[in-house]
Each structure stands twice: as structure tokens, then as C-alpha cells.
Amino acid sequence: MAFLLSVIFSIGGVGSAIAIVPLMGWLGVPLMSAKPTGLFINVLSMLSATLKNLRAKKLDIRFGLPILVTATLASPLGAYSGRFIPHSVVLVVFVAFLLYSGTMMLFFRPRVRERAGNHVLEGSLIGGIAGFLGGLLGVGGGGIISPALILLGYESKKVASTTALIVFFSSLSGFLTYWGMGALDIRLLLWVSVPAIVGGWLGTHLMHFKMSSGQVKKVIGLIMYVIALKTLLVALSL
């Protein structure tokens, strides 16, 4: 699962934890072990993807910096807030956003931005929301960052590369928070590490060298639908 889902989700730079966490729950892994494991898979697969992006000179670090900073800071807050906020409420709101985003990715063509606009402000807002929800749900926040940037008119491959970098840092921040809370299964982490790295590299290679920007956007849209379905099933089980 770590390998296959890391390949698929790294194409959109999203991070596969958002699908792996509910799948591990269905397999009997306790949620407090599944969430840090999912974030750990995100860390490794998105690190692999980011290194691939850097080598291919496909990553604009300055573009993603405002999102990265706020997402990384908000992720631990979300992880701690999970003790107080009803999970079912957050999941339902998250599903609604994903369905809207997936529909926009698949059926609408956002205008390409002619001006950068206030990227620091909008990027910080997107990063804060994504980081908080990513830490709360144990998914890294890529499912919010990627469609939000594309809907704002940014090019799909640039968004995927940027999101991979951001998800690496926000997932690492959330993972360390869960580690500090003592919620780790070391044996499970060892089993998923190598497949996550290889899957992240392969998915990024496919995105850059085998797919067009339009195809990447469609893949991201389909991923949003898959994530929404998985999240909805989790919400209904709570």
C-alpha cells in the first residue's frame, strides 16, 4: 500500500497519508498509530519527490515559502487539537471541500494568472488551514493546498512540485508532534519506509516526464474524489 499509493499521490504532490490512514484503520491499526505512520510515509515519499524535483530544476522554493511556513507551524496545533474537536464534524467539512475541488479540477478550466497577486497573504492563509487540518487528520494537508493553488490559476506541475515540498515539512512537523505524544509503532514505520521512498520518486518521474499539465490536473481531481470517499467512510464510522 505504501508503494502503490505513494506513486499515485506523488503525481499530484499530495502525499498518500490521506488514503493510507483510513486503509490502515480498516486493517485494524489503531488510529493513533495510523496517523503518525501516514505522516511518516508522507515525509519519506515527499522527500524523495522533492529531491527529484530539485535535480530536475522543477521546484520554485520562493513560490511555496509562505505556504510552507504557516502549514508547518499549524500542523502541530492541529495534531494537539484532535483531542478536543469532534472528528466527525471536521471530516464532513473536509469531504465537502474535496468534492468541490475535485469537480473544479475535472470539469472547469481556471484562468491562468497574469499577475502574481498578494501571494504571501493567500499562500499563508492556505498553508495555515491546510497545516491545521493536515495535523488534525494525520494527512499532511496536500489535499487542500494543491487544488486551492490550481483554482487560483497556477500551473499544475508547478503546483504539484511546490505542494510536495510543503507536505514534506508539514508532515514532518505533525509526525514529530505525534512522536512527542508517544503514538508510534516503530515496526510499522520500518516496513513502510523503503516503499514510500521508491513510490515518491517514481510518481514524480511520471508526473514530470510522462504526463502533460492537463493530465496532472485530472489526476489531482480524481485523487480529490478518492480522498473524499475514503474520508466520508471514516466519518460515517465515527
Side-chain angles (χ1 to χ4, degrees), residues 168-192:
F168 164 72
F169 280 100
S170 65
S171 296
L172 178 61
S173 177
F175 170 74
L176 293 175
T177 302
Y178 281 106
W179 190 358
M181 295 164 61
L184 294 185
D185 185 334
I186 301 299
R187 184 178 177 183
L188 186 59
L189 295 180
L190 293 175
W191 273 108
V192 302

Side-chain angles (χ1 to χ4, degrees), residues 50 57 78 84 102 111 114 129 159 166 169 174 177 204 213 221 235:
T50 297
K57 297 181 180 180
F84 313 105
R111 289 185 178 180
E114 298 179 356
I129 295 172
V159 168
I166 297 166
F169 280 100
T177 302
T204 304
S213 293

Side-chain angles (χ1 to χ4, degrees), residues 108-136:
F108 294 89
R109 293 185 179 181
R111 289 185 178 180
V112 177
R113 291 175 71 108
E114 298 179 356
R115 299 179 180 177
N118 193 343
H119 177 62
V120 173
L121 178 60
E122 65 189 19
S124 299
L125 180 61
I126 292 170
I129 295 172
F132 181 83
L133 288 177
L136 178 65

Side-chain angles (χ1 to χ4, degrees), residues 11-217:
I11 291 174
V14 175
S16 56
I18 204 157
I20 287 177
V21 170
L23 283 174
M24 285 192 293
W26 295 341
L27 292 174
V29 178
L31 185 59
M32 285 303 291
S33 294
K35 289 197 289 186
T37 302
L39 289 171
F40 183 70
I41 292 172
N42 271 8
V43 169
L44 296 180
S45 62
M46 293 299 98
L47 174 62
S48 179
T50 297
L51 292 176
K52 178 76 174 176
N53 289 328
L54 286 171
R55 288 188 62 185
K57 297 181 180 180
K58 302 289 186 180
L59 179 60
D60 183 351
I61 295 178
R62 290 180 299 176
F63 171 69
L65 192 59
I67 313 172
L68 188 155
V69 171
T70 53
T72 302
L73 292 175
S75 185
L77 179 61
Y80 278 117
S81 298
R83 298 180 174 181
F84 313 105
I85 300 176
H87 233 48
S88 57
V89 174
V90 177
L91 291 177
V92 169
V93 174
F94 193 41
V95 166
F97 174 83
L98 291 172
L99 291 175
Y100 171 78
S101 299
T103 301
M104 294 295 289
M105 294 296 100
L106 291 171
F107 303 111
F108 294 89
R109 293 185 179 181
R111 289 185 178 180
V112 177
R113 291 175 71 108
E114 298 179 356
R115 299 179 180 177
N118 193 343
H119 177 62
V120 173
L121 178 60
E122 65 189 19
S124 299
L125 180 61
I126 292 170
I129 295 172
F132 181 83
L133 288 177
L136 178 65
L137 302 173
V139 298
I144 293 175
I145 296 168
S146 186
L149 290 177
I150 290 177
L151 293 177
L152 287 172
Y154 293 104
E155 194 271 329
S156 301
K157 289 190 177 183
K158 180 177 183 178
V159 168
S161 300
T162 302
T163 305
L165 174 68
I166 297 166
V167 170
F168 164 72
F169 280 100
S170 65
S171 296
L172 178 61
S173 177
F175 170 74
L176 293 175
T177 302
Y178 281 106
W179 190 358
M181 295 164 61
L184 294 185
D185 185 334
I186 301 299
R187 184 178 177 183
L188 186 59
L189 295 180
L190 293 175
W191 273 108
V192 302
S193 58
V194 174
I197 293 172
V198 177
W201 184 92
L202 180 57
T204 304
H205 178 82
L206 293 173
M207 184 266 290
H208 281 308
F209 301 108
K210 303 295 183 181
M211 302 175 69
S212 67
S213 293
Q215 289 172 327
V216 172
K217 189 165 76 75

